[in-house]
Each structure stands twice: as C-alpha cells, then as structure tokens.
Amino acid sequence: MVPTSTRWNSLYEAISRIITIPLNELNPLCVKLGIKCLNEREYQFLKEYCTVMKPLTVALDILQGDECTYGALLPTLTSLMSKTLSLKDDLSRMTASLPDVIVKAIKTRFDAVLDSQEGLLAAATCPKFKLRWVRDEHRREYVKELLITECRKAAPATENTNVSQIPARPAEMDFFEFQNQPSESFSAEKEVTDFLRSGYELEILNQFPNLKKMYMKYNSPTPSSAPVERLFSLGGLVLSPKRNRMSDRRFEKLLLMRYNHCFSPKENNKT
C-alpha cells in the first residue's frame, strides 16, 4: 500500500499497515531496507494518528459510495465531528489538538452546507436518517417545521368535490334540508408525523407521496464526485480504440448496463 494523491485514504491505510508490525520487528526490517528506524515516540504518534483519522476515513468511504445520496452528507459530517471529538481524552500531548483541527477544518469547508435547508431536507427525507441524527431539540423542531412547510408545498391543490347523491323529486327538496359535507383535507403535519414514526426502509416512502417527491428532489445530487469519476473511468474502457465506431445511443446503453444493479430489485442481483 503506497500513498497516492488521488485516493484520500491511502496515507491512512499505508500507516495503519505499518503499525500492525510490532516495533521490535519493524526496526530490524528498516535496517535491512536501509531506512531510518522509528523510536518509541514516533511509533506511538503513528498509532494515535490512525486512531484519530479512522472516523474520517470511514466517513469518506461512505460519501464516496455509488449508492450514497446527498441526504447522507449532514448526518455523516455530524457523526464524524462527534466521534472525532470523543477521542481527545485517550490521546497524548502529541496528538491532543488533532481532533479540534479536524473538526475546525470540517466546519470551515462545509460552512455553507451544515445549516442549508437543502441539506437538512435531504437528510430528513431519507428513511434511514429522518431526525435521528439531530441531537439538539430546538434544531430538531426546526427541521420538522421545514419538513411540514415543504410537504405542504409539494402537496397538490385540493379541490372540493361534490358528492353524488340520488336525485330527489322537486316535491321532496322543500322537505329535506341538506348541509354541505366537509371534504377531508390534506394534513402535512399528519403525513410528516406518520413518516417520522414509520420504519427505516427506503420502500416506506411509497406510503408518503409528498415526502417521496421531496426525497427525489433533494437527494438527486451525489455528495461526492467519486461515483462520477468512476463512471468516466469505466466509459474509457467501454469506448476503446477498437470500438470507436460505436453510436452514442449504444455507448449509453452499455455504460448503463454496468450500473444496472443499482436500479434492479435485490432478488434479481442474486441471479
């Protein structure tokens, strides 16, 4: 494992493999390879470095996944900052300030995203996240109000429909007194409340049509460019020099077939 500039986790993975080797075995190996040996302090620093950086590498792997939606960004960042700060008590003076530096860098980099309504709605409409990742009670109520407001906008305008009745004879119309039957109105509060109490499977959105519209609206983007870069790399393999006379339509079909498992039912993927 050699660190590269194109893979953010490569340095962590390379160092984590080094510290799996005990120091009494690592230094004789360094002597044979003609490189400088590590002392106890340097070896301890590498171990603490991997401890602090592990949550960050896990978060990067999540956000770079092919099936990761934009709604996973804020919950991932929130959990990352919380897990990183919780490591401070177990660190020595060498790396005690590293968690604060990482969290400060995250807040600086994602300053425009952490409180954006688009990011909050994208996360809240994901069944596996909803509001569970929001720890502050006031912020949770704020996000819930955002959901209700946006759900009300997404709902189609309700029209009062006249209930068909059995036609009455003119002589009877003077005898009976009818009142307009109130039509059942749409309640955004009820749909949001029922959604927050429902399960965590993605298919649960089929029971909430307006929230499903919101999910598709705010979760269409990807939180990382990694899936797009992988798609471009695959495109170079499909459109090879020996297949350069391929039409645009056929190229698109072949490229989509590679990622077709993302759109197929799970039972079809096993066959």
Side-chain angles (χ1 to χ4, degrees), residues 4-5 10 29 34 78 104-105 114 130 151 156 186 224 228 258 264:
T4 61
S5 58
S10 59
L29 179 61
T78 303
K104 182 180 178 181
L114 290 174
K130 296 181 182 178
C151 184
F186 164 75
S224 170
V228 182
R258 167 61 181 82
S264 302

Side-chain angles (χ1 to χ4, degrees), residues 112-205:
V113 180
L114 290 174
D115 292 322
S116 67
Q117 292 188 3
E118 292 80 4
L120 293 172
L121 289 171
T125 52
C126 288
K128 66 178 179 179
F129 295 123
K130 296 181 182 178
L131 302 182
R132 295 186 299 156
W133 60 279
V134 185
R135 300 187 178 183
D136 183 69
E137 187 65 27
H138 296 288
R139 195 182 190 202
R140 184 178 301 177
E141 289 297 324
Y142 169 71
V143 179
K144 185 177 180 179
E145 288 299 323
L146 279 181
L147 272 177
I148 295 174
T149 303
E150 194 69 16
C151 184
R152 193 176 289 116
K153 294 178 181 178
T158 57
E159 298 180 357
N160 294 328
T161 57
N162 295 325
V163 180
S164 59
Q165 299 177 353
I166 300 175
R169 291 190 298 270
E172 296 177 352
M173 296 301 294
D174 295 335
F175 180 78
F176 296 105
E177 295 181 359
F178 297 101
Q179 293 182 352
N180 294 330
Q181 191 72 16
S183 59
E184 185 178 353
S185 60
F186 164 75
S187 175
E189 292 84 354
K190 184 177 185 304
E191 182 169 346
V192 171
T193 302
D194 292 343
F195 169 71
L196 296 177
R197 294 175 178 175
S198 61
Y200 305 124
E201 300 81 10
L202 186 62
E203 293 77 11
I204 206 71
L205 286 172

Side-chain angles (χ1 to χ4, degrees), residues 10-169:
S10 59
L11 178 61
Y12 164 82
E13 293 173 354
I15 296 177
S16 62
R17 293 194 180 188
I18 292 176
I19 62 174
T20 58
I21 307 174
L23 189 59
N24 57 354
E25 298 179 8
L26 182 61
N27 281 339
L29 179 61
C30 293
V31 173
K32 292 182 179 180
L33 295 175
I35 59 179
K36 185 179 179 180
C37 297
L38 299 176
N39 56 39
E40 289 284 350
R41 186 177 178 83
E42 292 170 339
Y43 189 77
Q44 181 65 25
F45 173 81
L46 293 180
K47 292 179 66 176
E48 294 184 5
Y49 169 84
C50 290
T51 300
V52 178
M53 296 299 292
K54 185 175 181 179
L56 179 60
T57 59
V58 174
L60 289 174
D61 288 338
I62 293 174
L63 296 177
Q64 293 180 24
D66 285 331
E67 300 182 21
C68 183
T69 60
Y70 188 68
L73 179 59
L74 291 187
T76 302
L77 293 178
T78 303
S79 298
L80 170 59
M81 291 187 288
S82 175
K83 291 181 179 296
T84 302
L85 291 177
S86 65
L87 299 172
K88 293 179 60 176
D89 296 336
D90 299 329
L91 301 176
S92 64
R93 295 179 58 184
M94 293 186 296
T95 57
S97 61
L98 186 55
D100 292 327
V101 173
I102 294 176
V103 172
K104 182 180 178 181
I106 293 173
K107 291 181 178 180
T108 302
R109 170 65 178 83
F110 296 97
D111 178 61
V113 180
L114 290 174
D115 292 322
S116 67
Q117 292 188 3
E118 292 80 4
L120 293 172
L121 289 171
T125 52
C126 288
K128 66 178 179 179
F129 295 123
K130 296 181 182 178
L131 302 182
R132 295 186 299 156
W133 60 279
V134 185
R135 300 187 178 183
D136 183 69
E137 187 65 27
H138 296 288
R139 195 182 190 202
R140 184 178 301 177
E141 289 297 324
Y142 169 71
V143 179
K144 185 177 180 179
E145 288 299 323
L146 279 181
L147 272 177
I148 295 174
T149 303
E150 194 69 16
C151 184
R152 193 176 289 116
K153 294 178 181 178
T158 57
E159 298 180 357
N160 294 328
T161 57
N162 295 325
V163 180
S164 59
Q165 299 177 353
I166 300 175
R169 291 190 298 270

